[in-house]
């Protein structure tokens, strides 16, 4: 793995390549996860889950022995189901029951909760619960979900769709002069997110505080608190949510689960701690679903390669319920608004449907809709290039927004804050050695059964987008200001308190680097307090590639406010004006004199007799809020370039080389950026080649273990090279841009384009991921008659 | 994913194991690499597990001029690492080293894999190619079963309810013999989507072409000579042997057989 940008700071602040402080704990197995929490008297929870996709519940019969430890829907008094309504007109509302009462709408939906001293005994108990279900026809195919006469999941609806939307800008006029028109149908599989740690929680009722504490593997403790309080009818003051170490999230842990509400209710009802630890089968068959999109795209271009217009009909399989807090419509809302991406075009039309099917609810996964959108758009660009007989790099170069156009507002009014997209493309073309590759392709034996191909994808990642964007998308959760607290301790240590939650992002390191910029306190002396609603400011949490920008900005603001107070005390001690005091390396200096920050803190807390009578009474603790200059988001971007070898006899796709040119704006810690890009890219390779949760016509999920659900493994991954550009954002505190999801967006498009490049002379084309051998062989077989 | 309750007994020797297995409700377990997940998913619910992994009779190795007999509880890793003799001069070691991944090989056993009879597993197809013999012991005493008669269906073997696979006898190939074993697994650690084994042993008059991962026991093709000599194409051989299957369902198997044949002939294409 290579990176072009070195350590510029030479120090410990923004730009420093500091090793992650949290890794010592993680790598030695000393983290503390939900599964490590054991409380006296704790009961383990196992769910009886629906074995069928769609049924009326006639009866849930508790066993004679142990039945008092079994709870069904009717037992859950005072509990509301989960509701997350889009603010857009026409939305059809669903209520996700905590335990299904009258109807089940997907396999794996919880029907009864069973408690025992161990999980194994709880599963034994669950096995003895008898279900009487009247099975109904299932809606398993999103393309048929809205057919007249399709069985209705929510019977008061008129059709199985949460929401339909339409955008049209200058479309008819734009397509008039098109010389090339390509029509394609694209499909992305339903996937399951697979963090190493699954979901889980421990709920405990504190009689003294009259407060419920939910320890949860979550990315957003404050939002879980709000959702949980709502479902249980509790005041916020009666609910505390604590996220301990969390072993990856990727979006799966950005959702309030009915299982958490159920565990919390049980802990209150029984006055005993209750723990639920999801197992992999629960996650795969009933939980972590994401990604399933279908696109019909028509691309229009002029003879000179100018992209004129794009027309799209997109269907997202949103599953059975609208999930809290993102709703059933986040994916489709993003599809319509981000499909044009960084390209100029004259006309655009897009209709989307968030359809409702008998599958688990679709959840946001790293990249959210962008991965599917990038796949659809970038394969369309390559199809146009082939139609026009120009190179894939050429059609992109002709149509990408240029640096001179920045800030660029695209056809859907996305405001691109900064960047040089053509340069990223140029560097990627160079890194992958496109001319050399083309020469090798020309030298290939025309009868060769292994073919080389090269593919590109270029895309933007809107991150840290705020109030206006989410309100505009109708998402029930709208982020506002982000806050942070900075507090010096009497020994000169620094506590940072943030409402976001670090579950692998390295924030214990990067936010300490941000504070160092303002305060000069060594990151080794910084304690990040996060993941606990009782200890941190309210926040929507960690999602949407927002933390570096929003929490980074808030920490900088709080640290700057604190620095002002430190300077005031330092000025008094050094007999200098506060504005003459410089903070660096743990020391305050003015003129030739200096005093350590430790001494300043000790003076404030323990030796106030040394302070002047008019000392600032607010002390060495500051909470500040932050919002970017505009809330339209930072736009990081990347160009992925990949070479593949396709085995025509096996349909096997092997990745030979992979280069990424990435622009994250100012990097707080280049090693952390590399880690994010690399991890995301591996997940994107999984999307491109392996990951798929098939369902049969009855709505049964067909991959119930990791032997059937294929994740990318080390031996599938080539040496990925990451090259950085650094175009600062004018919107954020240090010029940093959100980058967390970027890696997961580009690979399916780049890899599929490379496969299509390899197969181009055979007339074969793939348009559906993952690119399993079966799909590649099918594409080859479909091309046979065309070649004949 | 916790197993249903079961009892566990570690057998001390073969007669102890046979006593514990009497009645048919108990199930023998060795490395537990296939049975373990099935227990956790509650797909297998034996009343009792009898651990046979330490039985001296199942850990034994016997060598004769014509064959090596490997105990059923010998692990894939022991074969991979050369801790037991390999009568084929390296073919077994190489096959063992490509089974799943090392953690599985450390515990998984030769006999356990064969008795589980997963149609996509390695040993079943490799032993079919080599013409091995299963040594089985039960209440009626000891019997020998040709490996092609051992698996009778997917996950079903010729073992009786109280019988135990004790060892596998692998014949030594003759001078100048060559071998091809090719499997297509998309990822390291996955079961094969298609596999094939080819033995070309003219000195001992043994020509064998077997195709695996067909969702049924390995297919031992009827005219190995024709395939090896190139008079019959792999596609034609498979089409003739499995006329009920559509051609597109056999594409990967045709490739596997083609590449195993090329390996046995010493060609590069098989690699």
């Amino acid at each position: 793995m290579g990176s072009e940008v070195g350590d510029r700071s030479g120090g410990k602040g923004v730009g420093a390549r500091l090793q992650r402080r949290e890794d010592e704990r993680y790598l030695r197995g000393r983290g503390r996860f939900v599964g490590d929490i054991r409380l006296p008297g704790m009961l383990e929870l196992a769910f009886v889950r629906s074995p069928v996709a769609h049924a009326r519940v006639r009866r849930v019969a508790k066993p004679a022995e142990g039945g008092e430890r079994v709870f069904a829907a009717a037992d859950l008094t005072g509990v509301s189901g989960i509701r997350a309504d889009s603010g857009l007109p026409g939305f059809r509302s669903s209520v996700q029951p905590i335990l299904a009462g009258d109807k089940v709408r997907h396999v794996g939906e919880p029907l009864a909760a069973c408690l025992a001293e161990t999980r194994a005994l709880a599963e034994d108990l669950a096995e003895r619960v008898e279900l009487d279900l009247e099975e109904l026809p299932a809606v398993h195919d999103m393309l048929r979900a809205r057919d007249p006469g399709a069985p209705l999941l929510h019977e008061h609806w008129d059709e199985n769709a949460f929401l339909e939307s339409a955008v049209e800008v200058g479309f008819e006029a734009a397509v008039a002069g098109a010389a090339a028109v390509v029509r394609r149908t694209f499909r992305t599989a339903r996937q399951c997110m697979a963090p190493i740690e699954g979901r889980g929680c421990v709920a405990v009722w504190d009689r003294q505080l009259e407060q419920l504490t939910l320890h949860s593997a979550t990315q957003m403790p404050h939002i879980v608190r709000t959702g949980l309080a709502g479902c249980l009818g509790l005041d916020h003051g009666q609910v505390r949510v604590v996220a301990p170490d969390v072993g990856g999230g990727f979006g799966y842990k950005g959702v309030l689960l009915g299982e958490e509400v159920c565990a919390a209710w049980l802990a209150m009802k029984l006055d005993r701690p209750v723990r639920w630890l999801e197992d992999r089968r629960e996650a795969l068959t009933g939980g972590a679903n994401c990604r399933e999109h279908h696109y019909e795209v028509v691309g229009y271009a002029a003879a000179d390669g100018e992209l004129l217009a794009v027309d799209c009909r997109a269907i997202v399989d949103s599953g059975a319920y609208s999930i809290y807090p993102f709703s059933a419509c986040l994916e489709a809302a993003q599809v319509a608004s981000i499909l044009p991406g960084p390209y100029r075009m004259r006309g655009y039309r897009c209709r989307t449907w968030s359809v409702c099917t008998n599958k688990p609810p679709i959840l946001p996964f790293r990249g959210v809709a962008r991965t599917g959108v990038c796949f659809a758009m970038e394969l369309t660009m390559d199809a146009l290039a082939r139609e026009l007989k120009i190179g894939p790099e050429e059609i992109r170069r002709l149509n990408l927004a240029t640096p001179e156009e920045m800030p660029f507002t695209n056809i859907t009014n996305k405001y691109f804050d900064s960047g040089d997209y053509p340069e990223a493309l140029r560097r990627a073309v160079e890194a992958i050695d496109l001319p050399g590759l083309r020469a090798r392709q020309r030298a290939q034996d025309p009868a060769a059964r292994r073919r080389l191909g090269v593919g590109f994808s270029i895309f933007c990642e809107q991150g840290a987008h705020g109030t206006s964007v989410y309100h505009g998308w109708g998402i029930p959760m709208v982020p506002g200001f982000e806050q942070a607290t900075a507090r010096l301790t009497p020994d000169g240590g620094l506590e940072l308190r943030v409402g976001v939650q670090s579950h692998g992002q390295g924030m214990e390191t990067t936010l300490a680097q941000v504070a160092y910029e303002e305060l000069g306190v060594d990151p080794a002396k910084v304690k990040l307090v996060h993941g606990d609603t009782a200890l941190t400011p309210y926040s929507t949490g960690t999602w949407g590639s927002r933390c570096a920008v929003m929490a980074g900005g808030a920490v900088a603001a709080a640290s700057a406010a604190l620095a002002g107070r430190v300077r005031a005390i330092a000025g008094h001690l050094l007999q200098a004006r506060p504005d003459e005091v410089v903070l660096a390396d743990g020391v305050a200096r003015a003129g030739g004199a200096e005093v350590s920050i430790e001494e300043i803190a000790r003076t404030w807390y323990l030796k106030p007799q040394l302070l002047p009578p008019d000392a600032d009474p607010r002390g060495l603790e500051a909470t500040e809020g932050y919002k970017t200059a505009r809330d339209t988001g930072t736009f990081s971007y990347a160009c992925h370039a990949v070479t593949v070898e396709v085995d025509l006899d096996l349909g096997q796709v092997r990745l030979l080389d992979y280069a990424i040119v990435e622009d994250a704006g100012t990097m707080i810690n280049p090693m952390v950026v590399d880690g994010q890009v690399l991890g995301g890219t591996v997940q994107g390779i999984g999307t491109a080649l392996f990951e798929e949760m098939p369902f049969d016509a009855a709505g049964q999920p067909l991959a119930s273990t990791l032997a059937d659900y294929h994740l990318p493994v080390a031996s599938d991954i080539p040496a990925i090279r990451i090259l950085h550009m650094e175009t600062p954002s004018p919107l954020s505190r240090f010029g940093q841009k959100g980058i967390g999801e970027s890696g997961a967006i580009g690979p399916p498009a780049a890899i599929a384009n490379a496969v299509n490049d390899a197969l181009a002379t055979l007339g074969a084309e793939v348009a559906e991921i993952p690119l399993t051998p079966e799909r590649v062989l099918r594409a080859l077989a479909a091309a046979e008659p065309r070649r004949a | 994913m916790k197993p249903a309750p079961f009892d566990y007994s570690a057998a001390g020797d073969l007669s102890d194991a046979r006593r514990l297995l009497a009645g048919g409700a108990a199930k023998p377990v060795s490395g537990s690499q296939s049975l373990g997940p099935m227990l956790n998913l509650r797909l297998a619910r034996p009343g009792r597990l009898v651990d046979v992994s330490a039985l001296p009779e199942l850990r034994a190795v016997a060598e004769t001029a014509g064959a090596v007999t490997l105990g059923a509880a010998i692990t894939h890793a022991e074969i991979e690492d050369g801790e037991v003799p390999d009568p084929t001069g390296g073919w077994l070691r190489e096959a063992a080293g490509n089974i799943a991944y090392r953690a599985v090989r450390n515990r998984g056993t030769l006999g356990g894999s064969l008795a589980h009879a997963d149609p996509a597993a390695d040993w079943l197809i490799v032993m079919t190619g080599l013409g091995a013999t299963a040594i089985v012991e039960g209440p009626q005493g000891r019997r020998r079963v040709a490996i092609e008669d051992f698996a009778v269906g997917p996950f079903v073997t010729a073992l009786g309810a109280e019988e135990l696979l004790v060892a596998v006898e692998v014949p030594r190939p003759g001078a100048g013999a060559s071998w091809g074993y090719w499997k297509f697994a998309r990822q390291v650690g996955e079961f094969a989507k298609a596999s094939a084994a080819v033995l070309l042993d003219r000195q001992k008059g043994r020509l064998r072409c077997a195709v695996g991962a067909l969702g049924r026991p390995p297919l031992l093709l009827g005219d190995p000579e024709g395939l090896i000599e190139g008079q019959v194409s792999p596609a034609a051989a498979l089409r003739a042997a499995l006329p009920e299957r559509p051609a597109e369902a056999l594409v990967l198997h045709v490739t596997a057989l083609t590449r195993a044949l090329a390996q046995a002939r010493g060609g590069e294409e098989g690699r």
Side-chain angles (χ1 to χ4, degrees):
Chain A
M1 318 292 153
S3 163
E4 276 194 334
V5 177
D7 180 353
R8 292 149 313 157
S9 78
K12 296 166 181 171
V14 169
R17 302 175 69 87
L18 287 195
Q19 292 203 343
R20 303 201 324 171
R21 301 182 56 216
E22 45 268 74
D23 286 348
E24 172 81 11
R25 175 169 94 247
Y26 290 141
L27 296 176
R28 292 188 190 282
R30 290 178 185 153
R32 181 171 177 268
F33 298 85
V34 162
D36 295 316
I37 298 174
R38 287 184 185 79
L39 299 174
M42 187 174 80
L43 294 169
E44 299 273 0
L45 172 57
F47 288 96
V48 176
R49 293 178 181 274
S50 176
V52 297
H54 199 188
R56 230 171 282 291
V57 180
R58 287 207 197 103
R59 188 155 173 263
V60 175
K62 300 177 184 178
E65 192 188 331
E68 71 285 357
R69 290 266 185 95
V70 177
F71 299 84
D75 299 313
L76 296 189
T77 48
V79 182
S80 314
I82 296 172
R83 192 169 164 156
D85 290 350
S86 164
L88 298 182
F91 177 78
R92 294 178 186 85
S93 180
S94 70
V95 176
Q96 182 179 11
I98 305 307
L99 294 172
D102 55 344
K103 226 179 150 183
V104 288
R105 295 183 180 85
H106 65 85
V107 170
E109 187 169 354
L111 277 156
C114 304
L115 291 165
E117 268 61 31
T118 68
R119 171 69 183 238
L121 289 170
E123 289 186 20
D124 290 348
L125 182 57
E127 241 181 17
R128 299 204 305 273
V129 174
E130 286 179 22
L131 302 176
D132 184 1
L133 304 175
E134 178 193 341
E135 203 169 343
L136 302 168
V139 179
H140 79 286
D141 180 354
M142 61 171 151
L143 304 183
R144 306 284 306 279
R146 295 173 49 250
D147 284 358
L152 290 171
L153 273 84
H154 303 281
E155 285 160 26
H156 58 291
W157 291 10
D158 53 335
E159 65 171 19
N160 291 316
F162 290 98
L163 189 66
E164 178 178 339
S165 75
V167 187
E168 184 166 345
V169 187
F171 180 76
E172 295 297 343
V175 302
V181 180
V182 297
R183 290 167 200 281
R184 294 291 186 275
T185 300
F186 302 112
R187 193 162 191 154
T188 66
R190 183 162 275 246
Q191 279 182 244
C192 284
M193 289 172 273
I196 289 179
E197 180 205 32
R199 292 294 305 248
C201 64
V202 180
V204 53
W205 177 255
D206 185 316
R207 273 178 257 171
Q208 183 214 340
L209 295 174
E210 295 182 15
Q211 187 182 59
L212 172 80
T213 298
L214 184 78
H215 305 267
S216 172
T218 180
Q219 302 172 212
M220 36 173 61
H222 293 276
I223 293 296
V224 169
R225 183 194 194 196
T226 297
L228 193 59
C231 287
L232 294 174
L234 297 175
D235 297 337
H236 274 57
Q238 291 174 293
V239 181
R240 175 184 181 184
V241 175
V242 181
D245 276 326
V246 173
F250 312 117
Y252 187 30
K253 295 175 184 167
V255 176
L256 173 68
L257 295 183
E259 285 88 340
E260 294 176 301
V261 179
C262 189
W265 183 85
L266 289 166
M268 290 164 59
K269 169 86 179 169
L270 303 176
D271 197 12
R272 285 180 73 170
V274 170
R275 182 167 78 168
W276 170 66
L277 295 180
E278 179 191 66
D279 67 30
R280 195 59 70 175
R281 184 165 56 167
E282 290 180 287
L284 285 170
T285 57
N289 284 229
C290 57
R291 282 277 196 269
E292 193 173 9
H293 295 191
H294 183 277
Y295 298 85
E296 289 170 44
V297 181
V298 189
Y300 300 85
D304 63 0
E306 184 195 346
L307 180 65
L308 296 175
V310 172
D311 188 10
C312 174
R313 293 165 64 90
I315 300 175
V316 173
D317 187 336
S318 294
Y321 299 106
S322 184
I323 51 105
Y324 180 90
F326 288 107
S327 86
C329 305
L330 177 65
E331 300 267 332
Q334 285 201 359
V335 168
S337 79
I338 67 183
L339 184 71
Y343 294 112
R344 270 179 262 108
M345 63 185 75
R346 295 163 190 261
Y348 177 59
R349 188 164 74 180
C350 185
R351 286 182 76 180
T352 68
W353 290 266
S354 301
V355 304
C356 182
T357 63
N358 289 112
K359 296 179 187 173
I362 197 165
L363 313 178
F365 175 31
R366 197 177 200 171
V368 194
R370 304 180 193 98
T371 304
V373 161
C374 177
F375 180 72
M377 188 67 202
E378 290 294 276
L379 266 69
T380 301
M381 291 303 280
D382 267 31
L384 279 169
R386 275 195 296 278
E387 188 74 14
L388 291 162
K389 298 190 168 41
I390 59 177
E393 74 287 11
E394 184 64 10
I395 194 161
R396 287 178 174 79
R397 191 185 59 76
L398 286 169
N399 292 291
L400 285 169
T402 63
E404 294 74 30
E405 290 170 284
M406 294 293 162
F408 169 67
T409 302
N410 81 354
I411 196 158
T412 50
N413 273 323
K414 290 285 167 190
Y415 179 88
F416 288 61
D417 51 345
S418 67
D420 188 344
Y421 290 75
E423 176 62 14
L425 174 67
R426 192 194 65 74
R427 292 191 193 186
V429 165
E430 187 178 286
I432 208 75
D433 185 21
L434 182 63
L437 211 282
R438 291 289 181 231
R440 282 167 66 197
Q441 282 178 319
R442 282 192 296 273
Q444 267 181 158
D445 178 352
R449 302 302 290 166
R450 290 176 189 169
R451 304 290 179 101
L452 286 172
V454 60
F456 298 90
S457 65
I458 188 160
F459 57 89
C460 54
E461 182 194 1
Q462 186 181 17
H465 31 336
T467 313
S468 67
V469 179
Y470 280 83
H471 178 65
W473 281 344
I475 304 305
M477 177 188 70
V478 178
F481 281 87
E482 190 71 23
Q483 289 178 306
T485 301
R487 173 200 282 174
L488 280 178
T489 53
D491 59 354
L494 177 65
E495 279 179 12
L496 299 174
R497 293 169 182 261
V498 292
V500 296
Q501 201 278 335
S502 184
H503 46 279
Q505 291 84 356
M507 283 186 241
E508 291 173 42
T509 308
T510 51
L511 292 179
Q513 289 179 251
V514 166
Y516 181 86
E517 285 289 319
E518 303 288 351
L519 281 161
V521 174
D522 191 317
K525 295 189 78 173
V526 178
K527 176 76 188 159
L528 185 72
V529 179
H530 63 111
D532 188 336
T533 58
L535 302 177
T536 63
Y538 198 94
S539 167
T540 53
T542 298
W543 55 276
S545 299
R546 64 191 300 276
C547 292
V549 172
M550 298 303 294
V555 164
S559 298
L562 179 55
R565 301 187 201 166
V566 171
R567 282 196 195 93
I569 297 172
H572 174 71
L573 296 176
L574 296 171
Q575 300 299 304
R577 287 204 323 273
D579 62 3
E580 293 170 342
V581 176
V582 174
L583 302 178
D585 308 321
V587 169
R589 292 191 183 87
E594 65 177 48
V595 57
S596 70
I597 289 176
E598 184 180 343
E599 187 56 37
I600 293 165
R602 195 181 306 125
T603 302
W604 168 263
Y605 288 106
L606 305 175
K607 297 194 267 182
Q609 66 274 21
L610 300 180
L611 294 168
D614 62 345
D616 185 342
R618 291 171 301 171
L620 298 180
E621 174 170 336
T623 298
E624 289 294 327
Y626 176 76
K627 221 174 180 180
T628 47
R630 299 172 54 106
D631 66 8
T632 48
T634 58
F635 280 67
S636 68
Y637 59 98
C639 186
H640 286 217
V642 59
T643 57
V644 302
E645 181 189 78
V646 183
D647 186 321
L648 303 184
D649 293 320
L650 295 171
Q652 174 80 327
V653 177
R654 202 154 66 88
L655 307 182
L656 303 178
D657 190 15
Y658 206 116
I660 298 170
V661 180
E662 177 81 54
D663 190 341
T666 306
M667 289 184 282
I668 294 172
N669 182 330
M671 287 205 299
V672 168
V673 172
D674 279 354
Q676 288 285 321
V677 172
L678 201 54
T681 299
V682 171
Q683 286 180 317
I685 290 171
T687 301
L689 297 178
F690 303 110
E691 295 188 41
E692 180 172 21
M693 172 57 76
F695 284 78
D696 70 11
Q700 286 290 335
L702 300 179
S704 60
T705 72
L706 291 179
D708 308 307
Y709 186 84
H710 299 282
L711 292 167
V713 301
S715 49
D716 302 316
I717 308 302
I720 295 168
R721 295 175 287 138
I722 303 170
L723 290 77
H724 290 289
M725 293 168 59
E726 271 194 288
T727 314
S729 171
L731 305 181
S732 64
R733 172 65 179 78
F734 302 102
Q736 75 272 36
K737 296 182 175 187
I739 189 67
E741 301 169 75
S742 176
I745 299 169
I751 293 168
N753 276 337
V755 169
N756 285 338
D757 184 58
L759 304 184
T761 54
L762 301 168
E765 200 175 301
V766 295
E768 193 175 316
I769 45 176
L771 295 170
T772 56
E774 291 78 6
R775 288 202 176 91
V776 174
L777 291 174
R778 222 180 294 142
L780 284 164
E784 294 280 347
R786 288 206 294 274
R787 289 207 306 283
Chain B
M1 287 217 291
K2 305 289 182 195
F6 60 84
D7 293 325
Y8 170 88
S9 308
D13 60 22
L14 191 52
S15 65
D16 192 22
R18 284 193 28 212
R19 181 181 57 77
L20 289 163
L21 288 166
K27 196 162 174 56
V29 61
S30 185
S32 199
Q33 295 304 289
S34 298
L35 183 58
M38 290 172 69
L39 289 171
N40 285 343
L41 293 166
R42 300 194 176 209
L43 294 172
R45 314 178 61 119
R48 176 186 297 275
L49 288 184
V50 178
D51 189 336
V52 298
S53 64
L55 300 193
E57 298 88 341
L58 270 66
R59 298 278 307 149
V61 175
E63 295 193 72
T64 65
V68 170
T69 302
L70 298 172
I74 287 169
T75 65
H76 313 319
E78 287 169 326
I79 298 171
E80 176 187 11
D81 295 346
E83 290 179 24
V84 295
D86 179 351
T88 66
W91 304 340
L92 287 187
R93 285 185 68 173
E94 188 175 342
N98 285 305
I99 293 173
Y101 39 87
R102 183 72 194 195
V104 170
R105 302 197 289 271
N106 283 337
R107 294 193 58 86
T109 62
L110 171 61
S113 171
L114 290 170
H116 185 57
D118 188 320
D122 290 80
W123 286 130
L124 204 50
I125 178 74
V126 167
M127 292 301 171
T128 303
L130 291 170
T133 302
I135 313 293
V136 172
E137 192 163 314
Q140 273 72 51
R142 186 167 282 224
R143 64 186 179 114
R144 296 165 60 84
V145 183
I147 197 72
E148 53 265 38
D149 300 325
F150 181 74
V152 297
F155 304 100
V156 185
T157 67
L159 287 169
E162 296 183 35
E163 281 187 320
L164 192 65
L165 175 62
V166 175
V168 183
E169 183 187 287
V170 183
R172 294 184 194 275
S178 64
W179 166 252
Y181 173 53
W182 199 90
K183 67 170 174 177
F184 175 45
R186 285 195 74 201
Q187 296 179 282
V188 171
E190 294 301 323
F191 277 99
K193 280 182 165 308
S195 61
V198 173
L199 176 67
L200 213 170
D201 184 356
R202 297 211 182 266
Q203 190 197 52
K204 299 226 168 147
R206 278 202 295 256
L207 303 182
R208 297 172 72 92
C209 294
V211 179
L214 283 162
R216 46 152 282 171
L219 172 68
L220 192 60
L221 289 162
D223 180 14
E225 180 83 43
L227 276 162
I228 288 163
E229 295 304 326
Q231 292 141 352
V232 181
S233 76
L238 275 164
R239 233 180 2 252
L242 301 167
E244 73 286 2
R245 299 208 186 187
E248 60 268 23
L250 293 171
V251 171
L252 300 177
H253 300 86
V254 168
T255 304
L257 180 55
T258 305
R259 294 185 185 184
L261 280 163
Q263 274 183 15
R265 294 192 199 104
E268 269 305 294
E269 183 53 27
R271 290 291 143 192

